[in-house]
Amino acid sequence: MSDEDGAARNREEEPFATDASTRGSLPPDILDADHVYSALNHPRRRYLCYTLLEDTEWSLADLATKIAAWESDVPEHEVREDKRDAVYVSLYHAHVPKLVEEDIITFDAATETITVAEHAEQVLAALEGIGGSLDFSQETHARSEMDDREE
Amino acid sequence: MTGKSDSGTRSDDDPASGADTHWSQVAQRHYEPDGRGGLTTTIVSAIAEVEGVSPTDLKSPPLYESVDVSAIEDAFFGRDVEEASRQGVGTVEFQYTRYLVKVRSDGWIQVYEPSEAEEV
C-alpha cells in the first residue's frame, strides 16, 4: 500500500517537474525561432531585414531614406526630410538595437554602419517563407525587390 | 529652470521613483498612434527639445537601453482585436539619462528632469 501511495505521489508531482526539463530539451532550432519572430514583429524591422538581401552593409542614413521611401510609396529622391528623420530616429533608438540584441545585425556607432550578423541568414530565410500575401499592403515594395532578385 | 509652471499643482500625479528626488516637467507631447513605431520618435523628439538639439542628434544611449518602446506601443496603442479596441489604461515610467519619462495610455508623453533640491 505504501508503495502505491508513493507511486501516485510521484505521478502527481510530475507535471511540476516536467515544465522546466521539457523546455530544456526542445531542439535548438525551435528556440531560435523566438529570435526570428521577435525580430520581425515590427514592419520597420522587416523592411530593414529585406534591405539586407540587397546589400549586407548600410549606412543608417541610407537605410532611413530607403525605408521612408517604401513607407511613403515615393522614389527615394522624393522622400521628405521630416519623414526620413522620423524613420532614422526610430531605427537608431529602437529597431537597430533590438536587431543587434538578436544578433541579426551589428551596428558601428562611430560610422553608423549596419552589417549582417550571425542570425541574419535565418531571418532572411524566414522572410522568404512568409510570402507576400501576409504583408501585402505594407511590403509590396520590399517583396518586389526580393522577387526581382530571384529572376 | 523652464517649464516648471505646472509641477506644483500636480502633486498627486508626481512620479514616485527616487524617494528624495523632486521632478519638474520640462516637455510634453501628444502621441497619435500610427502603427509605424512613431512612439519612439515622439519620445525622442520631446527629450531632444529639452536638450536643445535636433531629434536626429540625440544619440547615445539608444532609448532601447532604457525601455522597449514597441512593448509600450503594443500595450497602450496596439491594433484592435476583432472589433474591440484595446484599452490598456495606465502610465509607464522609465528613466533615460537624467530624465524621467512618463507615457500615458491617453497618448500624453511627459518628460521630467530633477529639480533643485528643495529646502525642507
Side-chain angles (χ1 to χ4, degrees), chain A residues 41-45 47 71 83 85-90 92-95 97-98 101 112 138, chain B residues 35-38 40-41 44 55-56 58-65 68-70 73-74 96:
Chain A
N41 77 354
H42 193 285
R44 257 180 208 161
R45 290 200 291 274
Y47 274 142
E71 287 184 2
K83 170 73 181 169
D85 288 352
V87 173
Y88 174 94
V89 166
S90 90
Y92 185 93
H93 285 277
H95 303 308
K98 172 110 185 164
E101 186 181 68
E112 300 205 343
Q138 286 179 319
Chain B
R36 289 197 182 280
T40 298
T41 306
V44 169
T56 54
L58 185 79
K59 289 288 164 70
S60 210
L63 202 56
Y64 187 75
E65 288 178 17
D68 184 346
V69 175
S70 299
E73 200 156 26
D74 278 351
Y96 173 79

Side-chain angles (χ1 to χ4, degrees), chain B residues 95-107:
Chain B
Q95 289 195 40
Y96 173 79
T97 62
R98 62 193 293 264
Y99 302 105
L100 179 79
V101 180
K102 296 175 68 173
V103 180
R104 292 170 21 167
S105 53
D106 62 7

Side-chain angles (χ1 to χ4, degrees), chain A residues 51-87:
Chain A
T51 66
L52 297 175
L53 286 168
E54 191 177 318
D55 209 328
T56 55
E57 187 174 315
W58 283 88
S59 82
L60 193 56
D62 289 349
L63 202 55
T65 305
K66 175 134 198 137
I67 292 174
W70 277 342
E71 287 184 2
S72 311
D73 198 13
V74 297
E76 284 176 41
H77 65 271
E78 283 179 23
V79 169
R80 284 170 39 197
E81 196 179 342
D82 59 341
K83 170 73 181 169
R84 187 205 59 209
D85 288 352
V87 173

Side-chain angles (χ1 to χ4, degrees), chain A residues 7-131:
Chain A
R9 209 168 19 247
N10 279 341
R11 261 198 304 279
E12 276 172 28
E13 282 165 6
E14 234 168 67
F16 302 98
T18 46
D19 202 38
S21 58
T22 312
R23 194 175 166 78
S25 68
L26 281 174
D29 53 339
I30 291 190
L31 291 176
D32 278 356
D34 283 353
H35 294 289
V36 175
Y37 291 124
S38 142
L40 297 180
N41 77 354
H42 193 285
R44 257 180 208 161
R45 290 200 291 274
R46 286 196 293 280
Y47 274 142
L48 196 160
C49 289
Y50 279 118
T51 66
L52 297 175
L53 286 168
E54 191 177 318
D55 209 328
T56 55
E57 187 174 315
W58 283 88
S59 82
L60 193 56
D62 289 349
L63 202 55
T65 305
K66 175 134 198 137
I67 292 174
W70 277 342
E71 287 184 2
S72 311
D73 198 13
V74 297
E76 284 176 41
H77 65 271
E78 283 179 23
V79 169
R80 284 170 39 197
E81 196 179 342
D82 59 341
K83 170 73 181 169
R84 187 205 59 209
D85 288 352
V87 173
Y88 174 94
V89 166
S90 90
L91 291 176
Y92 185 93
H93 285 277
H95 303 308
V96 165
K98 172 110 185 164
L99 293 175
V100 167
E101 186 181 68
E102 302 288 359
D103 265 336
I104 291 157
I105 58 173
T106 62
F107 181 61
D108 182 328
T111 60
E112 300 205 343
T113 304
I114 287 159
T115 48
V116 293
E118 198 185 347
H119 291 155
E121 203 176 334
Q122 189 179 355
V123 169
L124 296 178
L127 274 178
E128 306 220 32
I130 285 168

